[in-house]
Amino acid sequence: MNKEEQILLRITGRDRRGLTASVMSILAKYDAQILDIGQADIHSTLSLGILIRINEHNSGQVMKELLFKATELGVNIGFQPVGDEEYEQWVTKQGKNRYILTVIGRQLEAKQIAAATKIIASQGLNIDSILRLSGRKSIVHTGKHTRACIEFSLRGEPTDRRQMQEGLMKMASKQGIDFSFQKDDMFRRMRRLICFDMDSTLIQTECIDELAERAGVGDQVKAITESAMRGEIDFKESFTRRVSLLKGLDASVMEDIANNLPITEGVDRLMSVLKRCGYKIAILSGGFTYFGEHLQRKYGIDYVYANELEIGDDGKLTGRFVGEIVDGNRKAELLKLIAQVEKVNLAQTIAVGDGANDLPMISAAGLGIAFHAKPRVIANAKQSINSIGLDGVLYFLGFKDSYLGDQGKL
């Protein structure tokens, strides 16, 4: 009985149509088993690896025919025998955990990738593959809102998960980039519900500050807002104090503010993709329902929970609010409630926010993201985006620009 052996084929060179088909036709002719296969194409340069198991009686003829074909196609081919024991050791490693490290920024340079891969190596993780999620960058036509993203597929278990997280945070801060480190399980690929803070997340302002400017109490309210976002004072107390300062303001100014809200970079693209892909979207805001519902109509958002200002019979704000305050704890409760209503596992949820009152929902969600957030929020969130727009969330979900058609364009 003829013995079988494993051979690793390495094919490199200029990519051309039909190359893989030509190689596979030769392997099929001799009934080769394909134990593993992987291909990468960088700037039309091919790197193809195929691990085969074949009857040793045929292996010599296969290699001969492949060498002739490689010469004909103008590529290089190498052969490496893989022993049974070596192969079995490789098979046992397949059960190890997988992780995804996503690195994003306006642009990514060698020094930034070097810093990330140094941390990967120091934690005993092996890089299985590297994938570029962002589109190709033009060196002639430079866009205003450029972005770059690389995804590393990692195998193994970090030596110290906390130390790795801390190392990645320091690296990101020093290098001016962002990262996400996630376990590569089925939930990462099946997110279904995303909850956003509104003020300073979906829009580049705090609506209460806009109202305060119209009421002539801008400096007083802004100081309270900033203190609350830093977590220095209780949100409910700060909210009550700020709303009271709006007493007497004509409610009609809210329409003008809503029509001129400064939308955060990337929101249009992000919302278009999320809706197209069937995500449920919620606004969970410590701001006001009037502005949340304006965004709901604009983007087709499914849920809005925020605070309602009381308006008197004279059409002016009374300085009070209606109902329960949506604070940090309430946001987390609402995220869980919506997930339950939509029959979505909590691990399939995403929360995005910038302030201290967003931390409870960021912590509760399967994927919590701090967006252009305060230092305290960044320090307590596992993922953050500070270098690009809100559509950077798509990269953390594994989307490639090329998947998105027109929505993938800058």
Side-chain angles (χ1 to χ4, degrees):
M1 183 177 179
N2 291 317
K3 184 181 177 183
E4 293 190 318
E5 60 182 338
Q6 293 77 235
I7 302 173
L8 177 60
L9 314 178
R10 293 194 181 99
I11 302 168
T12 58
R14 186 80 175 171
D15 194 11
R16 58 188 296 175
R17 187 177 300 158
L19 188 152
T20 303
S22 296
V23 171
M24 285 298 170
S25 294
I26 295 172
L27 297 177
K29 179 180 174 182
Y30 293 96
D31 295 324
Q33 298 178 50
I34 307 299
L35 300 179
D36 196 18
I37 185 169
Q39 178 174 314
D41 197 317
I42 307 296
H43 198 62
S44 298
T45 299
L46 173 76
S47 178
L48 172 62
I50 309 172
L51 180 60
I52 66 171
R53 182 171 173 83
I54 192 168
N55 189 307
E56 65 179 3
H57 178 73
N58 296 327
S59 59
Q61 187 62 30
V62 166
M63 288 189 282
K64 179 181 176 181
E65 291 193 29
L66 287 173
L67 280 168
F68 278 123
K69 181 57 69 173
T71 301
E72 177 187 325
L73 296 172
V75 296
N76 301 311
I77 187 166
F79 306 97
Q80 178 183 331
V82 176
D84 292 355
E85 185 177 344
E86 180 185 353
Y87 175 75
E88 287 303 316
Q89 288 177 350
W90 176 78
V91 169
T92 59
K93 292 179 181 179
Q94 300 310 298
K96 287 190 175 182
N97 288 329
R98 284 181 178 270
Y99 291 89
I100 295 293
L101 174 63
T102 310
V103 179
I104 58 177
R106 289 294 178 190
Q107 60 183 20
L108 293 176
E109 300 175 353
K111 63 182 180 181
Q112 295 161 329
I113 298 173
T117 52
K118 183 178 180 181
I119 292 172
I120 292 170
S122 70
Q123 288 292 323
L125 294 167
N126 185 65
I127 300 174
D128 273 358
S129 65
I130 302 174
L131 183 65
R132 175 177 49 81
L133 300 186
S134 52
R136 292 184 174 93
K137 176 185 176 182
S138 171
I139 59 175
V140 177
H141 305 289
T142 55
K144 179 182 177 182
H145 294 148
T146 59
R147 52 185 182 262
C149 178
I150 293 175
E151 181 183 276
F152 298 89
S153 178
L154 311 176
R155 188 187 301 281
E157 190 66 34
T159 305
D160 187 326
R161 178 72 182 265
R162 178 177 292 183
Q163 184 186 68
M164 182 171 185
Q165 186 76 20
E166 291 174 354
L168 288 169
M169 288 180 65
K170 290 178 182 177
M171 179 272 297
S173 176
K174 183 178 179 180
Q175 299 290 343
I177 58 177
D178 302 312
F179 76 92
S180 168
F181 184 65
Q182 305 175 58
K183 192 164 186 177
D184 191 13
D185 55 21
M186 66 176 184
F187 295 118
R188 189 190 78 86
R189 303 169 185 274
M190 297 174 62
R191 309 289 187 195
R192 288 293 177 266
L193 167 66
I194 184 165
C195 299
F196 294 98
D197 175 45
M198 179 173 65
D199 297 32
S200 297
T201 299
L202 291 175
I203 56 176
Q204 293 180 303
T205 189
E206 295 284 332
C207 289
I208 197 166
D209 291 345
E210 297 287 337
L211 291 167
E213 288 294 331
R214 306 295 182 97
V217 292
D219 291 343
Q220 298 173 60
V221 167
K222 190 171 290 186
I224 299 172
T225 298
E226 291 176 352
S227 182
M229 290 296 100
R230 290 193 298 267
E232 295 171 352
I233 57 177
D234 175 74
F235 180 82
K236 287 186 177 180
E237 178 191 345
S238 70
F239 182 79
T240 303
R241 286 167 53 188
R242 287 177 290 172
V243 169
S244 69
L245 291 170
L246 302 178
K247 183 177 180 180
L249 178 65
D250 196 306
S252 63
V253 303
M254 291 197 290
E255 181 178 1
D256 180 59
I257 293 172
N259 290 331
N260 293 282
L261 289 174
I263 304 299
T264 299
E265 175 198 340
V267 167
D268 289 349
R269 177 175 183 258
L270 173 62
M271 291 297 178
S272 174
V273 172
L274 292 176
K275 292 299 293 183
R276 197 173 102 188
C277 295
Y279 281 75
K280 293 296 181 179
I281 306 171
I283 290 177
L284 307 181
S285 173
F288 303 115
T289 52
Y290 186 93
F291 306 105
E293 289 170 354
H294 175 84
L295 294 176
Q296 182 178 34
R297 291 188 292 272
K298 180 179 177 69
Y299 294 113
I301 290 168
D302 301 284
Y303 297 90
V304 173
Y305 289 95
N307 301 296
E308 185 175 352
L309 290 168
E310 184 180 77
I311 301 173
D313 294 336
D314 58 357
K316 298 182 184 296
L317 301 183
T318 65
R320 297 186 296 271
F321 53 88
V322 179
E324 183 180 356
I325 293 177
V326 178
D327 62 359
N329 290 331
R330 182 62 177 153
K331 287 187 179 188
E333 291 171 1
L334 287 166
L335 181 147
K336 295 174 184 176
L337 178 62
I338 297 171
Q340 185 177 358
V341 168
E342 294 291 344
K343 296 180 174 57
V344 170
N345 189 300
L346 202 57
Q348 295 175 279
T349 64
I350 310 157
V352 187
D354 73 295
N357 65 324
D358 296 312
L359 276 173
M361 74 170 182
I362 287 174
S363 299
L367 178 65
I369 303 170
F371 178 73
H372 289 261
K374 312 302 182 288
R376 178 187 166 193
V377 183
I378 295 173
N380 286 276
K382 292 181 179 179
Q383 283 79 215
S384 64
I385 297 176
N386 299 294
S387 64
I388 66 172
L390 198 61
D391 54 342
V393 169
L394 295 172
Y395 294 134
F396 288 174
L397 301 180
F399 284 96
K400 291 184 67 175
D401 284 349
S402 58
Y403 293 166
L404 306 177
D406 291 339
Q407 283 77 21
K409 298 178 181 177
L410 289 171

